[in-house]
Amino acid sequence: MKKTKTKRVLYLRIFSSFLATYLVLMIGFSVFLISQQKKVEEMELNTYALQINNNVENILKDYMDNNNQITDISKVKREFAANLPLYTLEGTEMAVFTGDYQLLFNTNDYWRISYTEYKDGNKYYTGYGLLNPKDWFSDKEIKELQGYLFAAPKVEKAGDLSGYSVDIKGFWVDNEMIIPDKVTVNALYAQTLDEKGNVISSSGTHTDDIVYLSNYKNPAGLPHFEYGTVLPENNNSNAQPEKQNELRQMVTNQEKLEDALQQTMGSQILSQRINLLNYRYYWPQPYQSTIYAKDNQGSYSHFWMVVGRDVNLWEQSFPTLAFVWISSLLTFIIAALILSRQTYKTYKKREELERQHKEVTNALAHDLKTPLSIISGYAQNLHENIHTEKREHYVAHIQSNIDRMDKIIRQMLGLSRLESDSLEVKFDKVSLKEMCNEVILRYKPVCDEKSITTCLEGDAVVMADRSLIGRVIDNFFINAIDHMPEGGKICIGISDNTLEVYNSGSHIPEEKIKEIWLPFKKGDISRSNTKGTGLGLAISRSILELHKFPYGAKNSEDGVIFWFKFK
């Protein structure tokens, strides 16, 4: 229960810290991205407005006299109508004013009409005009006509219905505005298709099967034309027509233009925040970027071009923000999870080390307590001259226990040195067979005394620290001698990048196989029944880990095998 609570608290703290960091970074990034997006939108508007302004100037120059007066305003307006697709952009409106702020032309949602204005021999000249369907047809009729105009039936082969042609039969032109007599709808059928199945050309027959009448009479004597075609352009299509109408009213407002010119004289874009991330831009520009100063009348330009645009910074930034927020969140979650798991492992490892240190301290105290007690008892006898005939016996036992304590302390110091970062390991080529022979020869008297049979098979040369790896083999061999009966057998085998030290005798309890590598941990139930210090295998473990050699112990059929793998 305590471990679960500790783990939960640790995970909660790390995830809370990561979440707070994530939110701070993401909010900062979002503010930065939106501010940059705002600059980008202003630059795009600037580019768009300059492009429109150049087009407007080119049209005006063609119809201006030496006094900068328009010679044929009707043709100018029709030229603007011809270029309407260039001016039309969703969320954008433009208007052209005269020098005295009279509206000359503005973008709208009218239908654009093409027709033959006149011909010169075999050459036909196309004219353009605008038709406001609301002036002549009901809402139901307009909806039907738009259904035909923007129909996109599926075409699979030549002869299939590909769309409709919405035509005007008989109309009058009032400046740029078209006054229709009747509108007809004619079916078009695919003639040729490309490899991808797209329609290349279509044809149809003009009929009066579908007709819409305006019932207009021409008392003013306006020019009349016989035939025109509605161009299928969804001018200023907008999901928010009310916002588009507000924008249109702004760019066509004379007072707004005069107020803006008093503020900036067209030198910069004006912006207004509609709500949190919606901006409305307004930019009036003088004709040919030239402003004249007039006595007592302020500044003046021959014409003014105004561009207005609504920008939703959230819509523009959302794809990038969504990607960054989600990808960063996943990254932070993975990082937090990895860090939490690693921290918890470190915590458990530290807890385990503390437990091991506590056990080592207790075991060390236990192992030193016995010889100290013996030394104290013998010293007390010597001090009080008790059993003086055993003086040499007492001294010999005192020296023996002092040697044992010295051995324990030296091995503890050696283990601490191995586990520190200061030990320098010197790698060299080492013959394992040669080292094993040295160990067997070193302990031959002990083996002969206990009638222990030894054998050695195989050989290998490894890159290792000679003295350290020799100590591992020595510890394995001593451990085998200490834990086997008289008349047993010890065999060292070297093969398949593995060195094994086998000794006959009793097995190590399975639950203790991992513990024997810890200081003062032994496979025996009673510590007092063993002769070793309990540090040999711990020292061997540290040496093997320094060499990055895997190691272990396992029970065989009639004994125990200690092993390590080398590269």
Side-chain angles (χ1 to χ4, degrees):
M1 183 68 181
K2 183 179 178 181
K3 289 184 178 179
T4 304
K5 183 179 179 181
T6 301
K7 184 177 182 180
R8 185 166 57 248
V9 170
L10 190 147
Y11 272 60
L12 182 61
R13 287 181 178 177
I14 292 178
F15 270 85
S16 298
S17 300
F18 268 76
L19 180 61
T21 304
Y22 166 78
L23 290 175
V24 170
L25 291 176
M26 288 300 98
I27 291 172
F29 172 77
S30 299
V31 172
F32 171 77
L33 180 66
I34 290 172
S35 65
Q36 292 300 110
Q37 186 65 40
K38 185 173 182 290
K39 293 179 181 179
V40 170
E41 293 296 333
E42 291 176 354
M43 291 176 62
E44 289 182 355
L45 178 59
N46 191 329
T47 303
Y48 170 78
L50 291 175
Q51 180 183 4
I52 299 303
N53 196 21
N54 289 335
N55 179 268
V56 169
E57 289 177 359
N58 291 333
I59 292 174
L60 291 173
K61 282 190 293 186
D62 291 340
Y63 296 95
M64 289 176 62
D65 58 21
N66 294 332
N67 296 321
N68 293 313
Q69 299 297 317
I70 296 177
T71 57
D72 191 336
I73 196 166
S74 178
K75 286 187 176 181
V76 169
K77 289 186 176 183
R78 287 198 293 273
E79 286 285 349
F80 285 146
N83 287 271
L84 187 61
L86 177 63
Y87 311 144
T88 304
L89 194 67
E90 184 176 344
T92 305
E93 295 287 340
M94 65 82 68
V96 180
F97 290 84
T98 62
D100 54 357
Y101 310 117
Q102 298 302 311
L103 182 63
L104 185 62
F105 179 82
N106 67 278
T107 48
N108 47 64
D109 52 4
Y110 300 161
W111 294 349
R112 196 164 69 108
I113 311 299
S114 69
Y115 60 95
T116 300
E117 189 172 8
Y118 66 94
K119 68 176 182 176
D120 184 6
N122 294 328
K123 191 173 183 179
Y124 291 83
Y125 292 87
T126 302
Y128 294 90
L130 301 176
L131 188 153
N132 184 3
K134 295 179 182 178
D135 290 341
W136 312 108
F137 307 106
S138 66
D139 291 342
K140 179 181 178 182
E141 290 174 324
I142 293 172
K143 187 174 181 180
E144 290 175 359
L145 284 168
Q146 287 178 331
Y148 290 121
L149 194 61
F150 303 113
K154 186 177 180 180
V155 178
E156 296 181 351
K157 63 183 184 303
D160 288 350
L161 179 68
S162 61
Y164 297 90
S165 172
V166 180
D167 305 312
I168 303 176
K169 283 193 173 182
F171 61 93
W172 296 266
V173 178
D174 183 7
N175 288 324
E176 81 280 18
M177 298 306 298
I178 300 296
I179 302 171
D181 182 12
K182 65 178 180 180
V183 175
T184 64
V185 178
N186 304 288
L188 297 175
Y189 298 92
Q191 283 187 318
T192 56
L193 288 76
D194 61 16
E195 296 178 354
K196 296 182 179 179
N198 299 318
V199 177
I200 298 176
S201 62
S202 300
S203 65
T205 303
H206 291 285
T207 66
D208 286 341
D209 293 343
I210 304 175
V211 177
Y212 296 85
L213 299 175
S214 67
N215 298 318
Y216 175 77
K217 303 301 178 182
N218 182 28
L222 296 173
H224 183 268
F225 296 87
E226 292 297 329
Y227 179 79
T229 300
V230 180
L231 300 177
E233 299 164 347
N234 197 5
N235 295 346
N236 261 339
S237 61
N238 197 287
Q240 296 181 308
E242 293 181 0
K243 295 291 184 182
Q244 197 73 26
N245 287 333
E246 290 178 7
L247 190 61
R248 186 173 301 152
Q249 291 175 10
M250 181 184 73
V251 300
T252 57
N253 188 300
Q254 176 182 342
E255 294 181 358
K256 174 71 175 178
L257 174 59
E258 294 180 20
D259 291 341
L261 292 174
Q262 288 179 2
Q263 295 180 45
T264 67
M265 294 307 298
S267 61
Q268 64 182 33
I269 300 174
L270 299 176
S271 64
Q272 173 190 358
R273 178 179 287 179
I274 301 175
N275 51 42
L276 182 61
L277 292 175
N278 281 4
Y279 282 83
R280 177 163 290 171
Y281 294 99
Y282 182 87
W283 191 15
Q285 299 177 75
Y287 177 70
Q288 294 184 335
S289 302
T290 304
I291 298 177
Y292 303 94
K294 298 185 68 175
D295 296 339
N296 301 324
Q297 295 184 17
S299 300
Y300 174 81
S301 181
H302 298 300
F303 295 94
W304 302 97
M305 197 276 291
V306 179
V307 174
R309 176 177 290 182
D310 280 346
V311 175
N312 187 326
L313 296 179
W314 172 249
E315 290 181 355
Q316 302 296 327
S317 306
F318 176 76
T320 302
L321 287 176
F323 173 77
V324 174
W325 274 74
I326 293 173
S327 59
S328 297
L329 179 61
L330 293 175
T331 303
F332 270 78
I333 289 175
I334 293 172
L337 183 61
I338 293 173
L339 182 61
S340 298
R341 293 179 64 181
Q342 192 61 39
T343 304
Y344 184 63
K345 286 181 180 179
T346 303
Y347 169 79
K348 289 199 300 182
K349 186 175 181 180
R350 186 183 67 181
E351 201 174 47
E352 179 66 19
L353 285 174
E354 290 177 355
R355 183 185 65 79
Q356 291 177 11
H357 288 161
K358 185 176 180 180
E359 290 182 356
V360 168
T361 302
N362 291 336
L364 181 60
H366 178 275
D367 278 13
L368 293 178
K369 181 180 179 181
T370 300
L372 282 172
S373 299
I374 295 172
I375 291 171
S376 176
Y378 288 156
Q380 185 71 24
N381 289 341
L382 290 172
H383 178 70
E384 295 177 358
N385 290 320
I386 300 175
H387 301 297
T388 55
E389 71 281 2
K390 294 184 177 181
R391 181 180 297 272
E392 292 182 3
H393 173 75
Y394 293 157
V395 171
H397 274 274
I398 289 175
Q399 187 62 48
S400 174
N401 281 280
I402 289 175
D403 290 342
R404 175 174 172 76
M405 291 172 61
D406 180 69
K407 184 178 180 182
I408 292 173
I409 292 172
R410 285 180 180 277
Q411 288 192 335
M412 278 296 298
L413 292 174
L415 180 62
S416 297
R417 184 166 172 264
L418 286 169
E419 292 179 346
S420 70
D421 297 330
S422 60
L423 181 66
E424 183 179 353
V425 181
K426 298 179 181 179
F427 288 91
D428 199 359
K429 291 183 179 180
V430 177
S431 172
L432 294 180
K433 183 177 182 180
E434 180 182 330
M435 298 204 70
C436 292
N437 275 323
E438 291 177 2
V439 172
I440 293 173
L441 185 61
R442 185 182 307 137
Y443 294 102
K444 187 176 185 306
V446 178
C447 292
D448 291 343
E449 184 181 343
K450 297 181 66 173
S451 301
I452 296 173
T453 304
T454 61
C455 66
L456 172 62
E457 297 178 355
D459 188 15
V461 176
V462 299
M463 292 299 295
D465 187 298
R466 182 179 182 84
S467 62
L468 293 179
I469 211 70
R471 192 168 181 183
V472 172
I473 299 172
D474 190 281
N475 286 339
F476 280 7
F477 200 88
I478 292 175
N479 184 73
I481 294 174
D482 288 345
H483 294 85
M484 64 182 297
E486 292 187 3
K489 182 179 181 181
I490 299 177
C491 277
I492 302 176
I494 305 169
S495 63
D496 298 328
N497 294 332
T498 304
L499 183 144
E500 293 183 346
V501 178
Y502 159 82
N503 69 271
S504 60
S506 60
H507 291 164
I508 302 173
E510 291 294 332
E511 67 274 9
K512 292 183 176 292
I513 285 182
K514 290 184 178 180
E515 293 184 1
I516 61 175
W517 300 98
L518 301 177
F520 297 107
K521 292 288 186 178
K522 302 180 182 180
D524 304 273
I525 297 175
S526 173
R527 179 180 300 276
S528 59
N529 291 334
T530 62
K531 298 178 181 180
T533 62
L535 294 170
L537 291 179
I539 291 171
S540 299
R541 178 206 70 199
S542 297
I543 293 172
L544 292 170
E545 288 178 354
L546 278 174
H547 285 75
K548 295 182 171 48
F549 288 173
Y551 61 91
K554 59 184 178 182
N555 291 313
S556 65
E557 184 177 350
D558 57 350
V560 177
I561 296 174
F562 282 81
W563 59 269
F564 69 83
K565 288 183 176 291
F566 48 85
K567 298 178 182 178

